[in-house]
Amino acid sequence: LRRSVTVGRPRRPGRDGLSLAPGAVVELDRSAGAPADVQLNGRTIAKGEVVVVDGGDYGVRITKILDADD
C-alpha cells in the first residue's frame, strides 16, 4: 500500500528538487489550517486540514472521508 498526504506544492520549480541536500528546507504554498488530501494508492480517500501538533510538528486533521463514488 502506498499512502500519502498532499500538503502543498513547493514554491520553487521542480528542477530545483534535484539539488536538495539533507537539512534543506522546502517552502510549501500551504500553512496550518490549509486543506490537504489524504491519498491511498494514488486515490484521494479523505479531505483534511494541516494542523500543528506537539509544539512544532505538522499533522492532518481528517475532516471528511470520501465515498468510493467521490
Side-chain angles (χ1 to χ4, degrees), residues 9-68:
R9 304 271 184 238
R11 292 180 188 226
R12 298 190 304 175
R15 66 179 174 274
D16 285 350
L18 299 175
S19 62
L20 291 177
V25 175
V26 177
E27 289 187 52
L28 301 176
D29 63 353
R30 308 268 175 104
S31 59
D37 292 337
V38 178
Q39 297 182 331
L40 180 63
N41 291 331
R43 184 174 155 265
T44 302
I45 61 166
K47 300 286 186 174
E49 65 178 302
V50 178
V51 294
V52 179
V53 292
D54 294 331
D57 293 331
Y58 286 88
V60 174
R61 176 182 291 124
I62 304 300
T63 57
K64 181 179 181 182
I65 302 292
L66 301 178
D67 292 330

